[in-house]
């Protein structure tokens, strides 16, 4: 059984850290097998705004982008994505960022130094799509931590259920269990009837 911490806390919100909540669940008979952020080990990725896109002087399929990432001066990033365009907001991995299986370092690509990477869903291991970089909504705040903004830092608990705990096969049952243990008040979801 898997559920996110944010989802659980919409139903009951005990004043406990993630680690303490994990320990309490295990001690109450709901053995926590793992607790990992939904986005894995994404670090050093911010929301960027592509200011300009120019053709690479020494490569037909590469583009040289000027990317605003917050307080620092715009970064020069060489990109091969066909959908990179000026005015686009994108996840930008800064130098030193750690993505699943990749550490971002400054590189020189055909004579132009690149100080970061504009990423696709594939590089973030969100899907197998690597046809282009991720386009973010216009209201994404430039310079914000991408994992936090996209809620990829939300811990996902995986618990091992025993046959006698069928009441906890859903997140509502787990929340009810925590509320019964005196760790908060169970919030009932408002259900709006559908006419038709």
């Amino acid at each position: 059984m898997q559920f996110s911490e944010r989802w659980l806390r919409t139903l009951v919100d005990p004043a406990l850290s993630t680690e303490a909540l994990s320990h309490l669940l295990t001690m109450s008979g709901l053995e926590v097998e793992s607790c990992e952020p939904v986005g894995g080990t994404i670090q050093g990725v911010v929301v960027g705004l592509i200011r300009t896109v120019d053709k690479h002087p020494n490569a037909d399929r590469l583009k040289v982008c000027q990317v605003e990432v917050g307080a620092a001066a715009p970064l020069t990033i060489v990109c091969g994505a066909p959908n990179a365009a000026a005015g686009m907001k994108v996840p930008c991995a800064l130098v030193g960022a750690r993505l699943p299986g990749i550490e971002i370092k400054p590189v020189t690509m055909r004579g132009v130094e690149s100080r970061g990477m504009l990423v696709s869903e594939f590089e973030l291991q969100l899907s197998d799509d690597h046809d282009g970089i991720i386009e973010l909504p216009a209201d994404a705040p430039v310079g914000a931590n991408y994992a936090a903004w996209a809620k990829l830092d939300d811990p996902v608990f995986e618990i091992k259920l025993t046959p006698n705990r069928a009441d906890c096969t859903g997140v509502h049952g787990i929340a009810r269990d925590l509320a019964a243990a005196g760790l908060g008040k169970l919030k009932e979801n408002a259900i709006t009837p559908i006419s038709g």
Side-chain angles (χ1 to χ4, degrees):
M1 162 72 186
Q2 291 185 340
F3 59 93
S4 82
E5 183 174 352
R6 279 195 180 104
W7 186 16
L8 177 66
R9 288 186 187 273
T10 63
L11 298 170
V12 66
D13 193 5
L16 299 170
S17 67
T18 301
E19 295 77 21
L21 180 58
S22 178
H23 178 72
L24 181 91
L25 287 167
T26 298
M27 292 297 104
S28 69
L30 302 172
E31 182 185 347
V32 175
E33 293 187 312
S34 67
C35 181
E36 299 290 331
V38 70
T41 58
I42 298 171
Q43 296 176 352
V45 180
V46 299
V47 175
L49 171 62
I50 301 175
R51 286 291 181 194
T52 62
V53 177
D54 297 309
K55 186 179 177 315
H56 193 293
N58 303 317
D60 292 337
R61 295 185 182 170
L62 296 177
K63 301 172 183 176
V64 180
C65 304
Q66 295 298 316
V67 183
E68 183 182 327
V69 292
L75 303 175
T76 300
I77 298 177
V78 177
C79 176
N83 65 330
M88 197 174 162
K89 288 192 176 174
V90 297
C92 178
L94 305 174
V95 170
R98 294 184 181 277
L99 307 178
I102 307 170
E103 182 179 350
I104 304 302
K105 298 178 182 177
V107 296
T108 301
M109 299 177 75
R110 301 239 180 153
V112 177
E113 185 179 38
S114 182
R115 308 245 351 125
M117 178 181 184
L118 305 180
V119 296
S120 69
E121 290 184 359
F122 180 76
E123 278 100 20
L124 296 178
Q125 291 189 353
L126 300 175
S127 78
D128 290 333
D129 183 10
H130 54 83
D131 291 335
I133 53 179
I134 301 169
E135 184 170 1
L136 302 178
D139 64 350
V142 174
N145 178 305
Y146 173 72
W149 176 82
K151 296 185 171 71
L152 297 175
D153 59 344
D154 186 12
V156 174
F157 290 93
E158 182 171 357
I159 59 172
K160 182 177 182 180
L161 287 177
T162 54
N164 65 324
R165 293 308 310 260
D167 59 316
C168 291
T169 56
V171 73
H172 193 271
I174 295 165
R176 189 176 49 239
D177 215 43
L178 291 173
L183 295 168
K185 186 174 181 346
L186 183 64
K187 303 171 198 170
E188 292 295 335
N189 287 340
I191 298 172
T192 307
I194 298 173
S195 60

